[in-house]
Amino acid sequence: MVKITDVARHAGVSPSTVSYALSGKRPISEETRQRVEAAIRELGYRPHAGARALASSRSNVLALVVPLRAGIHVPVVMQFAVSVVTTARRYDHDVLLLTQEEGEDGLRRVADTALVDALIVMDVQLHDPRLPLLRSLERPSVMIGFPAEADGLTCIDLDFKAAGEACVEHLARLGHRVVALVGSPPEVYVRQTAFAQRVVQGFTAAADRGGLSSSVHPCEATPAGARLVAEQLLREQPALTGVVVHNEPVLEPLIDAFEQLGLRVPGDLSVTAICPDELAESVRVPVTSVPLPSAEVGERAVQLLMKKLGGSAVPEATLLPPRMTERASTAPRDA
Amino acid sequence: MVKITDVARHAGVSPSTVSYALSGKRPISEETRQRVEAAIRELGYRPHAGARALASSRSNVLALVVPLRAGIHVPVVMQFAVSVVTTARRYDHDVLLLTQEEGEDGLRRVADTALVDALIVMDVQLHDPRLPLLRSLERPSVMIGFPAEADGLTCIDLDFKAAGEACVEHLARLGHRVVALVGSPPEVYVRQTAFAQRVVQGFTAAADRGGLSSSVHPCEATPAGARLVAEQLLREQPALTGVVVHNEPVLEPLIDAFEQLGLRVPGDLSVTAICPDELAESVRVPVTSVPLPSAEVGERAVQLLMKKLGGSAVPEATLLPPRMTERASTAPRDA
DNA sequence: GCCAGGCGTCGAAGCGCTTCGACGGAGGAC
DNA sequence: GTCCTCCGTCGAAGCGCTTCGACGCCTGGC
């Protein structure tokens, strides 16, 4: 193994000079830097991560806790993860993967052993048990999602409440008076997953404000679940003309089910969704949607963490505004 | 931060004794061990990962390279990842997440900096450019998937060839004489992704052996792609009665398309798939399938790595035999 | 009763890097 | 010309842990 002393000898300088040339923490003359860089290249030098972590008390590794529970859409999780890793690399950091299963112990472990410098936590619940832990940790963290009480913590997410509102307002603008939200599976609400709750809040608030009649329907993430909800809606809400879907796997099956029950989209029923653009576009009837900008959220989460690691203050809450794309699934009522 | 010397002082022993009590690498009297453990608990001691890595030249971290290219089924990737993380934790290891995008440089980096002790690589191609790199690395690795030439490397995967054969043989046993394989999107074959190729080999070999007439059809991973292939099959293979699907997202849409074209499953057409059990079970007509045992593959991959890290020899190739589950989508021809 | 051998523990020497204080020399201010 | 400053570099001291050799003591064999 080639080490920093080898590089130093080869370049005719001291090890500390090599270190400073690498980190830029002290000025090094152009000429010396060149020699050092040449030596590094010729010898194929790679600083030892452990030694570096020990001496600098920085591991340049971030922890990412991914959810693996029922009811969350896996591709979205993966998009987050990839975006986090990619962004972290831009800041010369790596990403350690933790599963929800490891729970609080896992967080504490990687933080206390100095395996990681900072943490990103996904799938936050309104009253998440990890909140006090994150507050007590001596390392910065960012949560993707908003708990009920976020004092002293840093959170970022799509503004799901505004997204719910945007969907309803879009439907209201088109003249719809009776709307329904087809949401996540029941267990997601039972767990009080923050983002699901906020969609409901926004949906309901906007409907009330606009004087619309509204109802909320959890839905199993299967085609069968979709059919069930479609039938139920038809039965219980015959005047229904607008639907908001916040449940990725169910979007296409639900539209199929409506059509099989004789409701044309958007002729009889306008449908909007909160889901990735790819999904919205790939459905037979492209769906007017508010995408969850996972790539942006992941990137911004890492950037927040980097700022915190750099000692800067960051806003406690970052809510990304929803951006709706109109597609073929919504139309004016009585059009 | 509490360190090993604090623990030692508190327990009235030397630091090395604490270390040996923790690692078990030398005998320690029961009584001393108790005192050490008590001290650790009382002080909340956590060994510093970097220091440990530096002194022992073991980081207790594994690298996992996940694919993020088009045409691979994301939930399956996630299952692998979770299984790898979970198993690694059982062996007191953590997992560093690398994306395919980082490529060979990323592998070399984490290996050379001693950030990780060993590597797991997914989505192997027949002529994978990372092969020579993995051979040259001084750290053990395991590939999930089989390249064309695996000499000197360790590979594990479902025996996709046998899986393809099993599907055909099952159909042949039921009396079907004309079969088709609906496969992955074209780009997967263009890239020569190993597992996709092997399914084709097994499918074709078994069909030839059994004197069946067979054809292979790549398929875009969208409902539209499924419809296209269904129509094409109907047109070009009117005598077709058996289909093997190896393309998760397309399974349900394909069956829908067949039924809309007037073919009943399994009445007119028997369908088998290579896909996760959950998917096979969630389709309207539960599908006879060979599951990809991702959890087992991930677990075994980690175990192989642990053996290699322990200095033991391991088999170069581990092929997990396919296990078919019969469901409602297959029936005897002319039944 | 004496010596060999092993068990249990200690001390010290690193592992490879960063960082702090120091220092020589060059340049600017007066 | 002198003094001060700042730039660029060096040396040494750790960072917190593991591990190797050494050593004392207890046990057992004869």
Side-chain angles (χ1 to χ4, degrees), chain A:
Chain A
M1 175 187 207
V2 26
K3 39 186 135 177
I4 201 170
T5 50
D6 300 327
V7 176
R9 200 176 320 116
H10 197 265
V13 298
S14 77
S16 48
T17 300
V18 176
S19 178
Y20 287 124
L22 242 35
S23 70
K25 295 195 179 172
R26 282 199 185 175
I28 295 288
S29 71
E30 185 52 28
E31 189 216 329
T32 305
R33 190 202 316 292
Q34 302 276 346
R35 278 220 313 289
V36 170
E37 279 168 10
I40 289 177
R41 239 175 296 114
E42 284 167 34
L43 301 180
Y45 168 67
R46 295 284 200 166
H48 186 287
R52 200 172 249 221
L54 177 56
S56 65
S57 42
R58 273 299 181 84
S59 66
N60 275 34
V61 174
L62 309 179
L64 174 67
V65 187
V66 302
L68 30 61
R69 303 146 102 184
I72 20 170
H73 191 57
V74 177
V76 169
V77 172
M78 202 67 179
Q79 281 177 31
F80 271 118
V82 167
S83 147
V84 166
V85 171
T86 308
T87 311
R89 285 304 307 141
R90 287 215 303 274
Y91 292 91
D92 196 31
H93 282 246
D94 277 288
V95 174
L96 200 78
L97 188 61
L98 297 181
T99 59
Q100 202 91 293
E101 199 186 8
E102 268 235 80
E104 305 175 50
D105 290 342
L107 287 178
R108 203 193 316 269
R109 183 175 57 82
V110 296
D112 286 354
T113 59
L115 224 194
V116 306
D117 295 335
L119 309 106
I120 298 180
V121 174
M122 297 182 58
D123 192 30
V124 177
Q125 295 164 51
L126 275 189
H127 303 282
D128 202 295
R130 296 168 296 186
L131 261 37
L133 173 62
L134 289 176
R135 284 201 185 86
S136 74
L137 248 35
E138 69 288 19
R139 301 183 188 284
S141 56
V142 166
M143 322 182 62
I144 295 182
F146 281 80
E149 264 303 341
D151 292 14
L153 295 167
T154 307
C155 308
I156 179 171
D157 210 346
L158 170 65
D159 189 339
F160 275 100
K161 187 158 172 242
E165 288 171 346
C167 287
V168 171
E169 284 160 6
H170 177 71
L171 292 172
R173 226 174 293 124
L174 291 170
H176 299 279
R177 311 302 303 159
V178 181
V179 296
L181 171 66
V182 177
S184 302
E187 64 263 34
V188 172
Y189 296 97
V190 170
R191 284 200 308 257
Q192 303 218 336
T193 302
F195 74 93
Q197 304 267 10
R198 294 192 185 274
V199 170
V200 174
Q201 285 171 20
F203 171 84
T204 308
D208 290 354
R209 229 171 16 235
L212 310 201
S213 148
S214 73
S215 57
V216 175
H217 308 262
C219 177
E220 292 299 340
T222 60
R227 265 167 251 137
L228 234 62
V229 169
E231 288 163 10
Q232 182 199 347
L233 282 173
L234 220 62
R235 203 176 335 112
E236 300 177 3
Q237 314 272 339
L240 180 76
T241 62
V243 175
V244 179
V245 181
H246 181 216
N247 183 330
E248 288 89 348
V250 140
L251 181 56
E252 174 137 34
L254 191 69
I255 292 182
D256 286 352
F258 282 136
E259 303 226 319
Q260 276 170 28
L261 292 170
L263 289 178
R264 315 258 25 168
V265 174
D268 304 312
L269 208 59
S270 281
V271 175
T272 75
I274 302 175
C275 74
D277 278 331
E278 308 89 76
L279 211 197
E281 284 163 4
S282 79
V283 180
R284 192 165 342 168
V285 186
V287 177
T288 297
S289 72
V290 173
L292 166 56
S294 8
E296 187 184 353
V297 174
E299 178 176 352
R300 299 275 297 266
V302 172
Q303 288 168 344
L304 286 168
L305 231 31
M306 290 301 145
K307 277 214 185 102
K308 289 178 98 172
L309 282 172
S312 316
V314 301
E316 290 204 344
T318 307
L319 278 172
L320 302 181
R323 271 201 279 278
M324 172 170 277
T325 303
E326 292 192 40
R327 296 198 182 83
S329 69
T330 47
R333 182 166 151 244
D334 315 317

Side-chain angles (χ1 to χ4, degrees), chain B residues 146-210:
Chain B
F146 281 79
E149 264 303 339
D151 291 16
L153 296 167
T154 307
C155 308
I156 180 171
D157 210 347
L158 170 65
D159 189 338
F160 276 100
K161 188 158 172 245
E165 289 172 345
C167 288
V168 172
E169 284 161 7
H170 177 73
L171 293 172
R173 227 175 291 123
L174 291 170
H176 299 279
R177 312 302 302 159
V178 181
V179 296
L181 170 66
V182 177
S184 302
E187 63 263 35
V188 172
Y189 295 98
V190 170
R191 285 201 307 258
Q192 301 217 339
T193 303
F195 73 95
Q197 303 267 11
R198 293 190 187 274
V199 170
V200 174
Q201 284 171 19
F203 171 85
T204 309
D208 290 356
R209 231 172 13 236

Side-chain angles (χ1 to χ4, degrees), chain B residues 29-53:
Chain B
S29 70
E30 187 51 29
E31 190 215 327
T32 305
R33 190 203 318 290
Q34 302 276 347
R35 280 221 312 289
V36 169
E37 280 168 10
I40 290 178
R41 240 175 295 116
E42 284 167 34
L43 301 180
Y45 168 68
R46 295 284 201 168
H48 186 288
R52 200 173 251 222

